[in-house]
Amino acid sequence: MKGDFVTEHKQTGNENRKDRQLDQFRVVDKGKRMTTNQGLKVSEDENSLKAGVRGPTLIEDFHFREKMTHFDHERIPERVVHARGFAVHGEFELYESMKEYTKAKFLQVPGTKTPTFTRFSTVVGSRGSADTVRDVRGFATKFYTEEGNYDLVGNNIPIFFIQDAIKFPDLVHAIKPEPNNEIPQASSAHDTFWDFVANNQETAAMIMWLMSDRAIPRSLRMMEGFGVHTFRFVNDMGKAHFVKFHWKPILGIHSLVWDEAQKIAGKNPDFHRVDLYESIENGNFPEFELGVQIIKESDEFMFDFDILDATKIWPEEIVPVKIIGKLQLNKNVDNYFAETEQAAFHLGNIVPGIDFTNDPLLQGRLFSYIDTQLIRLGGPNFAEIPINRPIAPVHNNQRDGYHRTQINVGKVAYHKNSLADNTPSTSTAKEGGFVHYQEKVEGRVIQARSDSFKDHFSQARLFWNSMTPPEKKHIKDAFIFEVGKVKSKSVRQQIVDMFVHVDKELATIIADNVGVNRPTGEQSKVSESSPALSQANTKYYPYTLRVGVLIGNGFDASEVRSVVTALLNSGVNVDLIGEKLGIVRSKDNVRGNITATFLTTDPVLYDALYVVGGKAANQAKFQSDIEYFINEAFKHYKPIGIATSGNTFFKASNAKKGPGIVFASEDDKFDKNFIEAVAKQRFWNRDIY
């Protein structure tokens, strides 16, 4: 990445221990002879073995049987949730020692680099669903540390729908496609989900996040990540602190608009995957800084919320985020199935110095992640799959099971023993052995929830108070869309009556638009806000954004070259879009290469447009296509640069002069001002109607 806000990093492909470990499993087929799975060279792969050229196929054709049998068994069960994902290799570098708080070795010495594997995902949709649906995004990172694998398994939203894991099957059953008809796919806009929300009001704060712009990120590179739960740091003296984990994107937090997100799902359902893959292939490595919020154990009860409640944030203004390191994603996988699909994350994969708390949602997740891998990956040996293998040595008495690859030498497979000198032996804490934090626990065995978990609306109100007017409008529109899809009038009314406790105006607007009675309840009295919750307070850079140049023959080469060069020098990705693939020529015969056409791409796939115009074989269609691109970009609040030759095309469109519209004919600093507009991405003060 370029600029003072990032660091240069050259990908070598073999620079960390995990990558070197994977090398022994990589197979390059190019230039090799075809064989069976037994290593037998194959002489024929076009025709099965028959009795005569028109006769029956013979059962003795072992190559056919092997090939077809393997094909018939290629699919494995997809994840119940987070099925659609995309993962990349990377490296975490520590900024400053955390020795005061934790004894985790990878967090001790500044400059320590730890190999990582990070998987992003949507939650609700199946593996073949679209990237840009309204949904929570998974953000899971596996750290291959010298003490073993540590998995930080989180989301792009810092809280969750429920407080106790026993409700998780209910939540997922409600939000997944309805079982009578398997509709809708990858969407929360249906009766069962909103019925669940109305009857489980602990969801209130999470629903505010889900209806916000956070649920439709512009890029996986431009969203935050959170560990969600409260964990513990434990130092080498045995002293513990409560901790929450944050990933802060270097490029800032940016989102799509809802109309745009829906159209992208049709135009390019792999939008986020392509964006991440191409960024890494082009050397534009995404980066996230790791931050921690830390609370002393003695301060556990000093807040007006329970710090173990997964439906609550720790406001950053009250508990600041301390930035301690940086994650760089710098290598795409070699094989999607072998790495991304077979990756097994688990919250229980921790290292000395990191421990759990009594968060009831966390405690339940500690069971379910291991459990689901057993069926999905075919047994207990999934940790031996190359992508899941730690770089730390593995020695224990676990044996056998499906797909066992480790060959344990010797006859002893139990502890304690004398025949192998009581090895493998356990380790003390000083020797690096994991010792659970000795928390004092007492109380009656009971199925109940703490009274401190029962405030469901204060933080929902805090989130609402923290939004800017455009962000509030997007939340209102999202509620109207989602609840408007609910067929049950009773459920729609229940939702309105629930969210009046967040904001009466919001609930009233929902009611007026979904055909139910206005609410009579009262909103929360919380008046505080948290600026950290608003995306308006994020960073803005032009780097890696995409600009579409709408161009035909007869353009001004000097003017266009100046603008395109300035964009490229600012790290912007530029596509020349025209009538057909191939060459366009300027007035003085300078050539430009069209890389996308009006048929193969769409304005929703770009962050900004540069309208050059020109001549085409079918001028009427060329004019119409450019007008369509301008109109779409304009109503999605995107920046539009107008070349001198583009004025007539802009005038013919429905767009109007105003914020984010930059004219070369009126601006002697057009290049600079257009790039600044591109960096801003959206101009919410634009009058689009």
Side-chain angles (χ1 to χ4, degrees):
M1 301 176 74
K2 303 173 183 176
D4 57 5
F5 59 99
V6 294
T7 58
E8 288 287 349
H9 178 91
K10 297 298 182 183
Q11 179 180 358
T12 66
N14 196 28
E15 61 185 343
N16 62 50
R17 289 180 62 188
K18 183 61 185 179
D19 199 62
R20 291 196 297 273
Q21 182 195 68
L22 291 174
D23 268 344
Q24 64 184 303
F25 300 102
R26 293 184 173 114
V27 176
V28 178
D29 294 318
K30 185 176 181 180
K32 304 298 192 298
R33 298 288 186 176
M34 181 184 293
T35 71
T36 67
N37 285 338
Q38 310 307 316
L40 179 69
K41 288 182 179 178
V42 173
S43 63
E44 172 60 51
D45 193 47
E46 297 296 316
N47 300 286
S48 56
L49 187 66
K50 306 180 184 70
V53 294
R54 299 184 70 252
T57 299
L58 301 180
I59 197 170
E60 68 181 79
D61 189 347
F62 57 85
H63 173 52
F64 166 78
R65 295 201 316 272
E66 179 192 83
K67 183 177 179 180
M68 188 58 70
T69 299
H70 194 282
F71 172 76
D72 291 342
H73 294 266
E74 285 179 357
R75 297 284 79 82
I76 65 173
E78 68 175 32
R79 292 166 171 85
V80 177
V81 286
H82 297 274
R84 182 171 179 81
F86 199 76
V88 294
H89 295 275
E91 190 172 66
F92 173 75
E93 181 175 359
L94 185 67
Y95 286 164
E96 63 175 279
S97 175
M98 295 302 291
K99 183 178 177 63
E100 177 184 353
Y101 302 102
T102 176
K103 61 184 177 181
K105 281 190 177 180
F106 78 106
L107 298 177
Q108 299 300 297
V109 180
T112 297
K113 294 182 178 180
T114 304
T116 61
F117 190 65
T118 298
R119 184 178 186 270
F120 301 101
S121 56
T122 54
V123 174
V124 178
S126 63
R127 184 176 162 187
S129 57
D131 281 348
T132 58
V133 296
R134 180 178 296 280
D135 198 358
V136 182
R137 298 310 191 279
F139 193 137
T141 299
K142 187 181 293 290
F143 297 78
Y144 300 100
T145 86
E146 63 179 85
E147 296 181 288
N149 289 350
Y150 167 53
D151 291 355
L152 179 52
V153 189
N155 291 326
N156 76 322
I157 292 176
I159 58 175
F160 203 62
F161 296 92
I162 53 175
Q163 297 169 323
D164 192 307
I166 199 170
K167 298 293 296 177
F168 191 70
D170 303 297
L171 165 66
V172 175
H173 288 168
I175 200 170
K176 282 282 192 176
E178 296 180 5
N180 59 314
N181 57 16
E182 187 64 9
I183 298 172
Q185 175 59 241
S187 173
S188 55
H190 58 102
D191 285 54
T192 57
F193 175 67
W194 286 98
D195 183 44
F196 178 86
V197 169
N199 289 279
N200 295 270
Q201 298 196 352
E202 67 204 72
T203 59
M206 183 66 174
I207 294 302
M208 298 301 294
W209 284 82
L210 185 64
M211 294 299 102
S212 78
D213 295 339
R214 300 278 186 148
I216 44 174
R218 156 62 181 86
S219 167
L220 301 174
R221 302 175 294 118
M222 302 174 190
M223 66 181 193
E224 285 186 290
F226 304 90
V228 179
H229 302 289
T230 300
F231 293 89
R232 274 192 176 90
F233 270 162
V234 184
N235 66 18
D236 56 9
M237 302 297 292
K239 184 177 181 180
H241 290 78
F242 295 108
V243 61
K244 276 185 179 284
F245 296 100
H246 295 244
W247 290 115
K248 302 287 189 181
I250 294 294
L251 292 176
I253 312 160
H254 304 284
S255 294
L256 303 169
V257 295
W258 181 228
D259 179 70
E260 176 187 29
Q262 294 177 88
K263 290 173 178 175
I264 292 174
K267 297 290 184 178
N268 183 3
D270 301 307
F271 181 73
H272 284 152
R273 291 180 169 202
V274 171
D275 174 83
L276 181 57
Y277 179 86
E278 290 185 346
S279 290
I280 293 173
E281 288 297 294
N282 293 334
N284 300 325
F285 302 138
E287 294 182 331
F288 299 82
E289 289 187 310
L290 179 63
V292 291
Q293 289 177 292
I294 296 174
I295 292 177
K296 296 178 181 178
E297 282 202 316
S298 58
D299 293 339
E300 179 177 0
F301 301 106
M302 70 175 289
F303 304 97
D304 59 3
F305 53 87
D306 195 314
I307 68 169
L308 302 184
D309 182 352
T311 68
K312 304 293 189 297
I313 63 168
W314 300 355
E316 294 183 25
E317 293 75 18
I318 298 174
V319 186
V321 175
K322 177 182 179 66
I323 300 299
I324 66 170
K326 180 177 64 181
L327 171 69
Q328 183 181 78
L329 309 178
N330 55 29
K331 186 179 185 300
N332 284 311
V333 300
D334 291 300
N335 184 278
Y336 180 89
F337 179 84
E339 297 171 82
T340 302
E341 193 63 18
Q342 291 194 117
F345 293 90
H346 174 42
L347 280 83
N349 292 342
I350 56 175
V351 292
I354 301 175
D355 212 330
F356 312 117
T357 65
N358 296 328
D359 170 353
L361 182 62
L362 168 60
Q363 291 291 323
R365 290 181 73 195
L366 292 173
F367 166 78
S368 65
Y369 278 71
I370 282 285
D371 193 47
T372 193
Q373 311 299 357
L374 294 175
I375 182 67
R376 199 176 68 82
L377 297 175
N381 291 315
F382 56 83
E384 296 185 33
I385 295 171
I387 194 63
N388 297 322
R389 290 187 178 208
I391 60 172
V394 174
H395 300 286
N396 56 48
N397 294 310
Q398 296 170 22
R399 296 291 189 269
D400 307 341
Y402 283 114
H403 316 304
R404 184 73 170 181
T405 60
Q406 185 168 303
I407 301 173
N408 299 94
V409 178
K411 61 184 178 182
V412 173
Y414 51 88
H415 185 81
K416 298 177 179 180
N417 67 73
S418 63
L419 295 178
D421 299 322
N422 204 29
T423 58
S425 57
T426 58
S427 300
T428 65
K430 287 187 177 181
E431 294 169 327
F434 184 89
V435 178
H436 291 271
Y437 178 67
Q438 296 183 18
E439 178 187 14
K440 182 179 180 181
V441 179
E442 59 183 32
R444 297 180 182 275
V445 176
I446 186 173
Q447 286 185 300
R449 206 167 296 187
S450 170
D451 287 343
S452 59
F453 277 46
K454 292 181 180 179
D455 175 10
H456 303 321
F457 295 103
S458 292
Q459 287 211 354
R461 176 70 182 178
L462 174 72
F463 184 81
W464 178 254
N465 291 345
S466 306
M467 297 295 101
T468 61
E471 289 173 314
K472 286 184 176 181
K473 182 182 186 304
H474 299 162
I475 293 172
K476 293 172 187 175
D477 290 345
F479 267 105
I480 293 167
F481 177 91
E482 295 264 327
V483 181
K485 292 275 191 176
V486 173
K487 295 180 175 63
S488 168
K489 186 174 183 179
S490 170
V491 171
R492 299 199 302 270
Q493 186 67 61
Q494 290 176 63
I495 290 297
V496 167
D497 293 341
M498 172 181 173
F499 281 91
V500 70
H501 300 304
V502 177
D503 185 79
K504 192 160 192 173
E505 179 190 6
L506 169 64
T508 300
I509 289 172
I510 299 171
D512 290 348
N513 282 274
V514 302
V516 298
N517 296 328
R518 289 185 169 189
T520 57
E522 295 300 323
Q523 67 189 32
S524 166
K525 291 182 170 57
V526 170
S527 59
E528 293 84 5
S529 64
S530 171
L533 301 182
S534 172
Q535 292 186 197
N537 299 319
T538 193
K539 305 170 185 176
Y540 295 91
Y541 303 109
Y543 188 70
T544 75
L545 297 179
R546 302 196 72 86
V547 172
V549 179
L550 312 182
I551 192 168
N553 290 307
F555 59 91
D556 184 324
S558 176
E559 180 182 349
V560 173
R561 182 189 291 115
S562 173
V563 175
V564 170
T565 300
L567 289 168
L568 293 173
N569 287 341
S570 296
V572 175
N573 296 304
V574 177
D575 286 344
L576 267 59
I577 304 168
E579 182 181 40
K580 58 185 178 182
L581 296 178
I583 301 300
V584 289
R585 298 180 185 274
S586 70
K587 293 181 294 186
D588 50 354
N589 210 33
V590 174
R591 303 195 307 174
N593 185 35
I594 299 296
T595 55
T597 71
F598 296 113
L599 185 63
T600 61
T601 191
D602 194 86
V604 295
L605 305 179
Y606 294 91
D607 298 290
L609 298 179
Y610 175 43
V611 182
V612 177
K615 301 294 183 182
N618 187 338
Q619 190 65 25
K621 186 175 185 306
F622 183 71
Q623 175 84 34
S624 175
D625 287 336
I626 290 182
E627 288 176 23
Y628 165 72
F629 269 66
I630 293 172
N631 291 339
E632 286 289 293
F634 181 79
K635 75 176 183 179
H636 293 149
Y637 306 94
K638 295 178 179 179
I640 305 173
I642 311 297
T644 305
S645 56
N647 287 338
T648 56
F649 293 87
F650 182 81
K651 289 177 182 177
S653 73
N654 296 329
K656 296 171 283 189
K657 287 186 176 183
I661 311 297
V662 188
F663 291 89
S665 60
E666 302 175 3
D667 192 339
D668 58 2
K669 295 182 179 179
F670 175 81
D671 296 8
K672 175 179 179 293
N673 291 332
F674 180 49
I675 290 169
E676 289 179 354
V678 171
K680 189 65 178 173
Q681 299 191 38
R682 308 283 178 173
F683 292 83
W684 303 120
N685 55 342
R686 178 182 296 169
D687 180 12
I688 66 171
Y689 298 109

